[in-house]
Amino acid sequence: MDKLEYIVPCHFGLEAVLKREIADLGYEILSVEDGRIMFAGDAQALCRANIFLRSAERVLLKVGSFHAETFEELFQGTKSLPWEEYIPKDGKFWVAKAASVKSRLFSPSDIQSIMKKAMVERMKGVYRTDWFEESGAAYPVRVFLMKDEVTVGLDTTGESLHKRGYRKLTAKAPIAENLAAALIMLTPWKGNRILVDPFCGSGTIPIEAAMLAAHIAPGINRSFLAEEWEHIADRKCWYRAADEAEAMADTTVETDIQGYDIDDQIVSAARANAKLAGVEHMIHFQRRSMEQLSHAKKYGFIITNPPYGERLEDKENLPELYRVIGERYRALDAWSLYLITAYDRAEEFIGRKADKNRKIYNGMMKTYFYQFMGPKPNRSGR
């Protein structure tokens, strides 16, 4: 297969970050929609996208699209797709997820059931059999319905791309790895600048920052469903992508990345996660409260995911917490502050209106990425 189309979902609000990542890999962007990017590439793109994309949720191989307002149209449209080009006779296939927005067909379970029947009917004719053992590789299907337009893709990833493989120990309400990476990429931070996360929890933001600084591909230490799809992307494709990732990584770079938490056990968990990611030597974790945040150097970055009162009893503490964040930030010389929170009064208690505010949907939760930008350093960095 020379030219393929891919669908890459991401968090709503982070499309620009993902688009830039895909373009940087050298692929043609076909379209940008809310929560996903479509691009064109060869079979090698399947491997590279899974291994290198930091802000993506997963990589789908597009099978086709069509219009459907009735279940009969859904059945016939699904049946008309060239499933035999993607799924071999022994393949295990099912409709893993169906999402519908502003469409006449909206029941996920009915959509899934009808599409599975249509796939079977198509392949019964092609493979000349009435029974599929489904004993081979897995081919989960994902379908999106938007205003009665049906887009169908095969999930090449498996477990979501945010699961890098390093986070074995987690704190309460940890930020997803792909979201953490995207937030860092939305800032001007570079690996030679100071970065502090005073609410580091499991260490996700400092670890993702260290991986960015060291050019460590986020998918280098995990596996993907499509590794078994040798008729689409053979082993050599995966080896080439892995070799490219290995050649790029440089864990000798010097960094000043720090993560703080008030819980000793959480700090220990963050260190363990950083070790699994191969960046423990690049991050300084310690037990420290927000009230103790200080730094002698200029032009640093705070990038953080502070508590935002998911539980009712926690909300009472938020005004004081965000007041302290503002106080400690103002005490730093020429620093920048970037924080993501669902707390809509954050600016009020921080004591300053953010220079920029981006809405990002973390699952179904609307959050705000507040950006308080400090001055740029002069060329000497002083």
Side-chain angles (χ1 to χ4, degrees):
M1 296 184 181
D2 295 328
K3 189 167 183 181
L4 301 165
E5 290 187 25
Y6 297 95
I7 307 162
V8 188
C10 64
H11 286 85
F12 284 87
L14 297 178
E15 295 85 0
V17 177
L18 178 56
K19 179 184 175 183
R20 186 171 70 240
E21 280 199 275
I22 294 169
D24 286 347
L25 285 178
Y27 299 117
E28 176 193 358
I29 304 295
L30 299 176
S31 64
V32 179
E33 298 178 7
D34 287 345
R36 61 181 179 265
I37 310 291
M38 272 65 82
F39 77 94
D42 55 10
Q44 189 71 56
L46 186 157
C47 311
R48 295 181 75 229
N50 272 299
I51 289 174
F52 287 103
L53 293 179
R54 298 180 190 276
S55 60
E57 291 281 340
R58 60 186 66 250
V59 179
L60 306 178
L61 176 56
K62 184 177 177 181
V63 177
S65 58
F66 54 88
H67 186 87
E69 298 180 20
T70 67
F71 285 123
E72 178 60 23
E73 289 175 342
L74 178 68
F75 182 92
Q76 295 300 336
T78 303
K79 187 179 176 183
S80 71
L81 298 177
W83 293 105
E84 66 280 359
E85 293 181 11
Y86 303 94
I87 304 175
K89 187 176 181 180
D90 68 344
K92 179 182 179 183
F93 58 96
W94 71 102
V95 182
K97 186 172 182 180
S100 177
V101 178
K102 298 178 181 177
S103 296
R104 289 171 176 80
L105 304 178
F106 56 85
S107 165
S109 60
D110 289 335
I111 293 167
Q112 289 167 296
S113 175
I114 287 166
M115 289 186 68
K116 169 74 177 192
K117 289 175 184 175
M119 292 170 68
V120 169
E121 283 301 307
R122 167 81 183 203
M123 289 193 284
K124 277 167 66 173
V126 173
Y127 291 123
R128 301 188 184 283
T129 182
D130 289 325
W131 177 256
F132 294 94
E133 289 189 10
E134 300 194 45
S135 57
Y139 295 84
V141 175
R142 288 184 171 239
V143 57
F144 310 97
L145 283 76
M146 170 62 78
K147 296 180 180 178
D148 303 321
E149 292 301 317
V150 184
T151 303
V152 186
L154 286 170
D155 180 9
T156 74
T157 302
E159 275 200 310
S160 172
L161 287 175
H162 81 268
K163 296 190 176 182
R164 320 291 205 212
Y166 66 73
R167 200 164 72 180
K168 303 299 183 185
L169 302 166
T170 61
K172 184 178 73 175
I175 188 170
E177 294 91 320
N178 59 344
L179 176 55
L183 297 182
I184 298 165
M185 290 189 286
L186 280 170
T187 78
W189 180 80
K190 302 296 180 189
N192 60 350
R193 305 280 293 276
I194 302 161
L195 187 153
V196 175
D197 179 0
F199 301 96
C200 76
S202 307
T204 308
I205 289 176
I207 291 169
E208 290 294 325
M211 291 175 69
L212 272 162
H215 303 291
I216 297 173
I220 190 60
N221 290 319
R222 56 159 290 172
S223 60
F224 307 96
L225 267 185
E227 288 179 47
E228 303 298 320
W229 303 1
E230 295 203 28
H231 60 296
I232 295 174
D234 63 24
R235 286 286 171 186
K236 289 180 182 178
C237 289
W238 291 100
Y239 292 148
R240 281 195 295 269
D243 288 346
E244 181 185 357
E246 294 281 359
M248 285 176 56
D250 179 10
T251 57
T252 66
V253 296
E254 293 187 10
T255 58
D256 188 350
I257 301 172
Q258 301 171 35
Y260 308 148
D261 200 277
I262 58 173
D263 187 322
D264 275 324
Q265 287 187 312
I266 294 299
V267 172
S268 295
R271 287 196 188 106
N273 290 337
K275 186 174 183 179
L276 284 170
V279 295
E280 74 276 16
H281 61 292
M282 299 174 64
I283 308 169
H284 175 65
F285 289 109
Q286 71 177 93
R287 183 178 180 274
R288 183 187 283 198
S289 68
M290 185 69 213
E291 287 86 352
Q292 296 171 301
L293 176 61
S294 64
H295 205 292
K297 294 182 180 178
K298 299 176 69 171
Y299 305 116
F301 285 73
I302 300 170
I303 305 178
T304 192
N305 173 42
Y308 35 84
E310 297 95 325
R311 297 183 304 182
L312 190 61
E313 59 265 34
D314 294 335
K315 288 188 183 296
E316 297 175 5
N317 303 320
L318 292 183
E320 176 62 15
L321 174 65
Y322 282 81
R323 187 192 64 76
V324 172
I325 291 173
E327 179 184 272
R328 298 318 306 153
Y329 170 54
R330 286 189 292 275
L332 295 165
D333 189 359
W335 278 48
S336 299
L337 167 63
Y338 296 83
L339 64 85
I340 184 169
T341 179
Y343 186 45
D344 57 6
R345 299 180 67 187
E347 289 172 301
E348 175 186 342
F349 293 106
I350 287 172
R352 173 182 158 185
K353 186 171 177 59
D355 298 297
K356 287 186 179 180
N357 175 16
R358 178 187 288 259
K359 287 181 187 175
I360 297 170
Y361 281 83
N362 187 2
M364 297 303 292
M365 181 184 293
K366 181 168 71 173
T367 62
Y368 307 88
F369 188 46
Y370 293 110
Q371 302 165 62
F372 302 88
M373 300 174 184
K376 294 180 180 179
N378 57 33
R379 290 188 178 180
S380 67
R382 299 181 196 153

